[in-house]
Amino acid sequence: MMMLRGERHSPVPGRIGVFLFLAAGLGFLLHHYSATEDEFQPPKGPGVPNDWFYMQRAWPSGVINHEARHDAIRQTRNMRDFVGPEGRKRAAGDWELVGPTNVGGRITDIAADPNDTDTYYIAAASGGVWKTTDGGTNFTSVFDGYGSLSIGAIAVDPTNADIVYVGTGEANPGGGSVAYGGDGVWKSTDGGQTWTHLGLELTRYIGRIVVDPLTPSRVYVAATGNLFSKNADRGVYRTVDAGTTWAKVHFISDSTGCIDLAIDPSNPDRIFAAMWERIRRPDTRRYGGITSGIWRTEDGGDTWSILAGGLPLPSNLSGRIGVAVSPANTSKVYATYTDQTGFFDGFFQSTNSGSTWTQKPASGLTTFYSSFGWWFSRLWPSPDQEDVVFADGISLYKTTNGGTSFNSVGNTMHVDHHTHYISASTPNFMLNGNDGGLYVSNNGGAGWSFVNGLPISQFYTIEVNEAQPSVVYGGTQDNGTNRTPGGLLDDWEELFGGDGHYVNVGPDDTDVIYLEYQYGNFFKSTDGGNNFSSAMFGISGGDRKNWSTPVVIDPTSIGNVFTTLYYGANRLYRSENSAASWTPISGDLSDGNPGSGGVTFGTITTIAVAPSDSATIYVGTDDGNVWVSTDYGGTYTPIETGLPNRWISRIAVDPLNDGIAYVTLSGFRDDDPLSHLFRTINHGSSWTDISSNLPDAPLNDIIVDPVNPSILYVASDVGVFTTGNLGTTWALLGNNLPDGVVVTDIKYLSSPAPTLFAATYGRSCWSFDLSQATTVADGWPAGLSGETSIALFPNAPNPFRDETAIRFALPDAGHARLEVIDIAGRRVRILQSNRVAAGEHLATWDGRDEAGRAVANGVYFYRLAANGESVARKMTLSR
C-alpha cells in the first residue's frame, strides 16, 4: 500500500537475523543464530555510493521491490511504439553520445577468444557488455535490450568462441550495481549478436562463471545472492546441458554465497569454491563470518568438502576470499583472504591441489587492500609460469616467487582492480579492468596503456552553459568532475578528483566554476578550472550533508555583480557574494534523524528558486519533507501533505509562476502502484498526481520547458520521458538510450538549438536535439498534444533590426498575455497582458526590455498564453 505523510515507517532497518555455522572439528553443523548489532561494521570505502543509491530507492521500507523494477523496464520497452490519443507516433528522434570515451568506468570482468586476442568482451559494472574484434580500436555494445546492465561475470566457451555466457549483477558489494543487481544468466551462440536468458534471476549478483574445458556443456556459476537481504538463491550452480537446466550443487546458508570459482583444467571434476558470508544494510554491514571458507569438489560438484590444512580457521571469521589454480602446474593452488572488516589476512599456496596449505610471507601486500578487501580480492596465475601470480587490490600486484614477495605493477593505472586477462596464445599480452576502465599491456605487465572507446562512466550530474554550449561538465563516481573543452567524445579532462557531484558554471563568466566532491565539499575556480579554492566559509562542519549535496544558482541573479547561490545541508544556506561566504537561512529542515553506522541521513536533497520571483524557494529532503518559503527564506511552510512518503529527488518551478511547482520522488511501490510526479498550482497547498502512464520507477530530475511550460521532461531510472500536456500522457523520448539505464540528471540548453542533455550512471552522457520531437515554431511537441485553439503567427520582419510585428488570434474573448523570452527562459518584455475580444490582434516589439534598454542580438521567443493554452514561436534580432 502506498504510504502518505503521517504513515511513515522508520527509515533505519531493524535488527537483522542471519545464519552462522558452528564448527565441530573440520565438519560444520548448520545452526541458526541472531546477529547482534555489535557484529556489524559501519560502512566505509567504495560501498558508500551504493548505500546512497540504495537508500533513496529503498526508503522508508528498507527494501527494493525488484519485480517493480523489472515491470518498469518492460513498460518502457512497450512505450517504444507508444501512440498517443490523437493517433500520432511517440516522441521520436535519436539520442547522440556526448562521451566521455576516454575516462572509463568500473570493469568487472574480461573474457577473450582463446585463439584470437583481438576479440574480447568487457563486462561493465553498470554499462552492459562490450565487444571488440580489432584489439580495442573499436567497441560495440552487444547486450543492450536484453538483461540487466549491471554485469558481474562473463565467460567464453574455450572450445567454441561464439558461445558466451554473461552473469548479471556486479558481485563487488559497493557502488556499481545501483543496488538493483542482475536478472540471472544469459547465453549467446553467435558471438554476442543475440542472447537467450537461461534463468537464475533470483541469484541477483554473480561473481564468476567457469566453463569445463573438456566438457563445455558443463558450466558453473558462483552466485552471491542478495546483497541487502537474505535469500536462498545463492551458492554454486551447475548445468550439464549448456544452460537448459540448472542445479544448485553447493549451498551453505541464505547469507553465505559463492564469490569465486576455480576449475582444474587438467581435471575439471576438481573445482574450488570461495564461499563468503556477507550481508549489508545502508547503515551496517557484516562482511565475514564462520561460514566463509574454501570448499573443494572432486566429482564435478556432486559433493563438497571444506578445506583446512593451514587455511584460516572458521573462528577467524574470514571475509572475502580469492582462489585460483595455476594452469602451468595444476597441483598448485593460490588463495588470498581478508578479515571480516576488509583488511588483508594472508596469502596461501597449496602444492597438492588444496589438501594442505602454506601461508606465504607475501611481503609488499600488507596494506594492498587498505580496509576494503571486500571490494576486490581476485588472483590471476600466469598460464606458463607456476610461480607468477597477479593479485587485485587498490593497486595491481605481482609475485614471481609463488607469494614470497609482491611488487606493485599498477602504479600507472587507475586504482581499485577487479579483473585481469593473461593471454595463453599471445606472449606478454594482458588486459586489466579497474574502477577507471580498461588497460592493456604488451610486455607482461611492465607497462600499461589506457584503452579508449568505452563510454561506461557513471555520472551523477551534468552541466552545460548557454555561453559555451559545446563544453559539457559532469560529476562521476570515483572518476572526479570532468568536462569536454572541445565537445568531442574523447577529449574529456578531469577538473577535480573524488566522486564529482553538482557542477555550476558562472552565469555571467564561464571562467567561474563551482563544483563539489562527496558530502558537499565545495570549491570554486575563477580561472576556468585551472585552480580551485575551498568555498565553504560559513558552512558548519557539524551540519549533515548528503552524499550528493545540492547547490544551485538563483536564476534571478544572472547579470548581477554577485551571484546568489544556495547550498543544502540539513539546513539551507545562502551566499549573496558568489560563494565568498555563506549564511544559514533555516533551521533543520529534515526530521532530525541523522542516520547511523556512518551513513548520513536527514539532509536536503533538492533546492529550487523560482525564476519569476527569487523570494520563493522550495526545498526537499531525503526523509520526505517538502518546504516552501515565499519571503526569501524568512519563514518556511511544510507542504508535503498528500505526497507519498518517499525520498524527494528533485523540485522544479514553472518559469513564469512561482506558485506552480513539480516534485519528483525516488523509491518503488510496496504493493499498490506508486506515483512519482506531482504538481501544485498553489505553492504546495495541494498536489495533483501527473504521473499518468509513466513507468513505475524512481524519478531523478524534472525540467519545465522554458518556452512552453506545458512541456515537461523527466529523468527516470529507466530512461527519459516527455509530455506536451502537463502529464496527461507521457512518451519515451527518443531512441538509442539503452533499456534500463539510470538517468541521474538532465539539463536543457536553448541555443544554438533546443537540446536536452542527460547524465547516465554507467553509459556516460548523451544529448537530444529537441527539434526532432518538438517543433518550437508550432508551439507543441509533435505527436504529443492536440492543436491549440489560439493562433500565433510568424513575426515580420524576421530577422529584424528595429521593430517587428506579431499577430495573434483568439476564438473567444478572454485574457491574453504576449511576452518575449530569451533563450535561457527569462522574461524580457511583456508586450500585452489584458482582456481582448475574439479575433485577430497585433503587437510590436522594438528589441528593448521592460526598462527600455536595448537587448543583445540573438534568438528570442515570443509566447502567447490565453484560454488556458500556450503557444510560442522563435524570432531573431540582428541590428
mmCIF file of all heavy atoms in Angstrom, residues 14 23 63-64 116 188 242-243 273 316 358 375 416 432 575 623 633 643 657 701 803 836 842-843 859:
data_model
loop_
_atom_site.group_PDB
_atom_site.id
_atom_site.type_symbol
_atom_site.label_atom_id
_atom_site.label_comp_id
_atom_site.label_asym_id
_atom_site.label_seq_id
_atom_site.Cartn_x
_atom_site.Cartn_y
_atom_site.Cartn_z
ATOM 1 N N GLY A 14 15.681 -2.475 11.128
ATOM 2 C CA GLY A 14 15.901 -3.039 12.453
ATOM 3 C C GLY A 14 16.957 -4.108 12.464
ATOM 4 O O GLY A 14 17.710 -4.295 11.513
ATOM 5 N N ALA A 23 31.512 -24.629 14.174
ATOM 6 C CA ALA A 23 32.481 -25.654 13.771
ATOM 7 C C ALA A 23 32.509 -26.780 14.795
ATOM 8 O O ALA A 23 32.476 -26.561 15.984
ATOM 9 C CB ALA A 23 33.872 -25.027 13.669
ATOM 10 N N VAL A 63 13.788 -1.970 1.724
ATOM 11 C CA VAL A 63 13.984 -2.972 0.682
ATOM 12 C C VAL A 63 13.514 -2.412 -0.651
ATOM 13 O O VAL A 63 12.649 -1.533 -0.711
ATOM 14 C CB VAL A 63 13.223 -4.288 0.985
ATOM 15 C CG1 VAL A 63 13.771 -4.945 2.231
ATOM 16 C CG2 VAL A 63 11.729 -4.022 1.128
ATOM 17 N N ILE A 64 14.107 -2.950 -1.719
ATOM 18 C CA ILE A 64 13.720 -2.574 -3.070
ATOM 19 C C ILE A 64 12.840 -3.672 -3.648
ATOM 20 O O ILE A 64 13.151 -4.863 -3.531
ATOM 21 C CB ILE A 64 14.966 -2.354 -3.955
ATOM 22 C CG1 ILE A 64 15.609 -1.007 -3.622
ATOM 23 C CG2 ILE A 64 14.608 -2.400 -5.433
ATOM 24 C CD1 ILE A 64 16.879 -0.735 -4.384
ATOM 25 N N ASP A 116 42.202 -15.832 -30.485
ATOM 26 C CA ASP A 116 42.304 -14.537 -31.161
ATOM 27 C C ASP A 116 42.174 -13.434 -30.119
ATOM 28 O O ASP A 116 41.067 -13.044 -29.748
ATOM 29 C CB ASP A 116 41.205 -14.406 -32.220
ATOM 30 C CG ASP A 116 41.232 -13.058 -32.927
ATOM 31 O OD1 ASP A 116 42.237 -12.325 -32.792
ATOM 32 O OD2 ASP A 116 40.232 -12.728 -33.607
ATOM 33 N N SER A 188 24.930 -16.408 -25.424
ATOM 34 C CA SER A 188 24.934 -16.130 -26.851
ATOM 35 C C SER A 188 25.652 -17.273 -27.572
ATOM 36 O O SER A 188 26.669 -17.776 -27.092
ATOM 37 C CB SER A 188 25.653 -14.809 -27.149
ATOM 38 O OG SER A 188 25.775 -14.605 -28.549
ATOM 39 N N ALA A 242 24.466 -27.111 -21.008
ATOM 40 C CA ALA A 242 24.780 -25.799 -21.582
ATOM 41 C C ALA A 242 23.762 -24.730 -21.208
ATOM 42 O O ALA A 242 23.537 -23.793 -21.966
ATOM 43 C CB ALA A 242 24.937 -25.891 -23.096
ATOM 44 N N GLY A 243 23.126 -24.883 -20.052
ATOM 45 C CA GLY A 243 22.257 -23.832 -19.551
ATOM 46 C C GLY A 243 20.780 -24.086 -19.698
ATOM 47 O O GLY A 243 19.965 -23.257 -19.272
ATOM 48 N N ALA A 273 35.650 -23.597 -4.596
ATOM 49 C CA ALA A 273 34.630 -22.559 -4.417
ATOM 50 C C ALA A 273 34.962 -21.722 -3.195
ATOM 51 O O ALA A 273 35.111 -22.259 -2.089
ATOM 52 C CB ALA A 273 33.248 -23.179 -4.267
ATOM 53 N N ASN A 316 38.137 -17.649 12.708
ATOM 54 C CA ASN A 316 38.792 -16.435 12.229
ATOM 55 C C ASN A 316 37.786 -15.433 11.671
ATOM 56 O O ASN A 316 38.104 -14.258 11.502
ATOM 57 C CB ASN A 316 39.809 -16.808 11.138
ATOM 58 C CG ASN A 316 40.734 -15.674 10.786
ATOM 59 O OD1 ASN A 316 41.486 -15.195 11.640
ATOM 60 N ND2 ASN A 316 40.701 -15.233 9.537
ATOM 61 N N THR A 358 50.151 -23.565 2.756
ATOM 62 C CA THR A 358 51.217 -22.831 3.447
ATOM 63 C C THR A 358 50.965 -21.342 3.290
ATOM 64 O O THR A 358 50.732 -20.861 2.166
ATOM 65 C CB THR A 358 52.599 -23.171 2.868
ATOM 66 O OG1 THR A 358 52.830 -24.573 2.989
ATOM 67 C CG2 THR A 358 53.693 -22.398 3.590
ATOM 68 N N TRP A 375 36.214 -5.331 -1.721
ATOM 69 C CA TRP A 375 35.951 -4.638 -2.985
ATOM 70 C C TRP A 375 36.644 -5.310 -4.161
ATOM 71 O O TRP A 375 36.317 -5.065 -5.300
ATOM 72 C CB TRP A 375 36.383 -3.184 -2.843
ATOM 73 C CG TRP A 375 36.047 -2.225 -3.939
ATOM 74 C CD1 TRP A 375 36.907 -1.371 -4.558
ATOM 75 C CD2 TRP A 375 34.768 -1.978 -4.527
ATOM 76 N NE1 TRP A 375 36.258 -0.614 -5.493
ATOM 77 C CE2 TRP A 375 34.933 -0.975 -5.484
ATOM 78 C CE3 TRP A 375 33.501 -2.523 -4.335
ATOM 79 C CZ2 TRP A 375 33.877 -0.486 -6.267
ATOM 80 C CZ3 TRP A 375 32.460 -2.046 -5.113
ATOM 81 C CH2 TRP A 375 32.649 -1.039 -6.059
ATOM 82 N N ASP A 416 41.954 0.433 -7.671
ATOM 83 C CA ASP A 416 40.847 -0.485 -7.405
ATOM 84 C C ASP A 416 40.629 -1.441 -8.582
ATOM 85 O O ASP A 416 39.829 -1.190 -9.491
ATOM 86 C CB ASP A 416 39.558 0.271 -7.088
ATOM 87 C CG ASP A 416 39.673 1.111 -5.833
ATOM 88 O OD1 ASP A 416 40.654 0.937 -5.094
ATOM 89 O OD2 ASP A 416 38.773 1.946 -5.586
ATOM 90 N N ASN A 432 43.637 -5.409 -18.196
ATOM 91 C CA ASN A 432 43.285 -5.187 -16.795
ATOM 92 C C ASN A 432 42.069 -4.279 -16.719
ATOM 93 O O ASN A 432 41.982 -3.265 -17.424
ATOM 94 C CB ASN A 432 44.451 -4.556 -16.029
ATOM 95 C CG ASN A 432 44.108 -4.292 -14.571
ATOM 96 O OD1 ASN A 432 43.581 -3.238 -14.219
ATOM 97 N ND2 ASN A 432 44.396 -5.267 -13.719
ATOM 98 N N SER A 575 24.443 32.216 -0.202
ATOM 99 C CA SER A 575 25.553 33.148 -0.411
ATOM 100 C C SER A 575 25.095 34.220 -1.388
ATOM 101 O O SER A 575 24.539 33.906 -2.443
ATOM 102 C CB SER A 575 26.775 32.430 -0.982
ATOM 103 O OG SER A 575 27.762 33.371 -1.369
ATOM 104 N N ASP A 623 14.192 12.515 3.825
ATOM 105 C CA ASP A 623 13.175 11.853 4.642
ATOM 106 C C ASP A 623 11.758 12.343 4.325
ATOM 107 O O ASP A 623 10.863 12.299 5.167
ATOM 108 C CB ASP A 623 13.476 11.987 6.135
ATOM 109 C CG ASP A 623 13.709 13.424 6.580
ATOM 110 O OD1 ASP A 623 13.497 14.347 5.764
ATOM 111 O OD2 ASP A 623 14.113 13.626 7.743
ATOM 112 N N GLY A 633 13.334 33.134 2.378
ATOM 113 C CA GLY A 633 13.956 32.311 3.405
ATOM 114 C C GLY A 633 13.693 32.783 4.815
ATOM 115 O O GLY A 633 14.311 32.275 5.752
ATOM 116 N N LEU A 643 1.574 13.949 -0.449
ATOM 117 C CA LEU A 643 2.615 13.302 -1.247
ATOM 118 C C LEU A 643 2.966 11.947 -0.637
ATOM 119 O O LEU A 643 2.947 11.793 0.585
ATOM 120 C CB LEU A 643 3.875 14.168 -1.296
ATOM 121 C CG LEU A 643 3.766 15.522 -1.975
ATOM 122 C CD1 LEU A 643 5.088 16.285 -1.841
ATOM 123 C CD2 LEU A 643 3.390 15.369 -3.452
ATOM 124 N N ASN A 657 5.481 31.326 -13.117
ATOM 125 C CA ASN A 657 4.540 31.369 -11.995
ATOM 126 C C ASN A 657 5.169 30.648 -10.816
ATOM 127 O O ASN A 657 5.322 29.424 -10.831
ATOM 128 C CB ASN A 657 3.219 30.711 -12.395
ATOM 129 C CG ASN A 657 2.143 30.865 -11.343
ATOM 130 O OD1 ASN A 657 2.423 31.009 -10.149
ATOM 131 N ND2 ASN A 657 0.889 30.807 -11.780
ATOM 132 N N ASP A 701 14.995 13.653 -11.894
ATOM 133 C CA ASP A 701 15.068 15.068 -12.263
ATOM 134 C C ASP A 701 13.852 15.412 -13.108
ATOM 135 O O ASP A 701 13.218 14.538 -13.717
ATOM 136 C CB ASP A 701 16.355 15.344 -13.052
ATOM 137 C CG ASP A 701 16.697 16.827 -13.130
ATOM 138 O OD1 ASP A 701 16.000 17.643 -12.490
ATOM 139 O OD2 ASP A 701 17.672 17.187 -13.827
ATOM 140 N N GLU A 803 12.213 46.938 -35.346
ATOM 141 C CA GLU A 803 10.897 46.602 -34.816
ATOM 142 C C GLU A 803 10.320 45.445 -35.626
ATOM 143 O O GLU A 803 10.585 45.312 -36.824
ATOM 144 C CB GLU A 803 9.964 47.818 -34.899
ATOM 145 C CG GLU A 803 8.623 47.609 -34.204
ATOM 146 C CD GLU A 803 7.798 48.880 -34.220
ATOM 147 O OE1 GLU A 803 7.131 49.152 -35.238
ATOM 148 O OE2 GLU A 803 7.808 49.600 -33.193
ATOM 149 N N VAL A 836 -8.956 40.707 -24.222
ATOM 150 C CA VAL A 836 -9.119 41.119 -25.616
ATOM 151 C C VAL A 836 -10.343 40.424 -26.194
ATOM 152 O O VAL A 836 -10.791 39.382 -25.702
ATOM 153 C CB VAL A 836 -7.876 40.787 -26.460
ATOM 154 C CG1 VAL A 836 -6.649 41.528 -25.950
ATOM 155 C CG2 VAL A 836 -7.630 39.290 -26.485
ATOM 156 N N LEU A 842 -2.791 42.674 -33.020
ATOM 157 C CA LEU A 842 -1.437 42.997 -33.457
ATOM 158 C C LEU A 842 -0.660 43.627 -32.314
ATOM 159 O O LEU A 842 -1.186 44.471 -31.591
ATOM 160 C CB LEU A 842 -1.485 43.972 -34.642
ATOM 161 C CG LEU A 842 -0.126 44.460 -35.169
ATOM 162 C CD1 LEU A 842 0.649 43.322 -35.812
ATOM 163 C CD2 LEU A 842 -0.340 45.608 -36.172
ATOM 164 N N ALA A 843 0.591 43.193 -32.159
ATOM 165 C CA ALA A 843 1.513 43.804 -31.195
ATOM 166 C C ALA A 843 2.856 43.989 -31.876
ATOM 167 O O ALA A 843 3.135 43.383 -32.917
ATOM 168 C CB ALA A 843 1.665 42.916 -29.956
ATOM 169 N N VAL A 859 18.714 35.026 -30.649
ATOM 170 C CA VAL A 859 17.425 34.346 -30.792
ATOM 171 C C VAL A 859 16.563 34.624 -29.567
ATOM 172 O O VAL A 859 17.032 34.534 -28.428
ATOM 173 C CB VAL A 859 17.629 32.827 -30.965
ATOM 174 C CG1 VAL A 859 16.284 32.093 -30.958
ATOM 175 C CG2 VAL A 859 18.369 32.541 -32.267
#
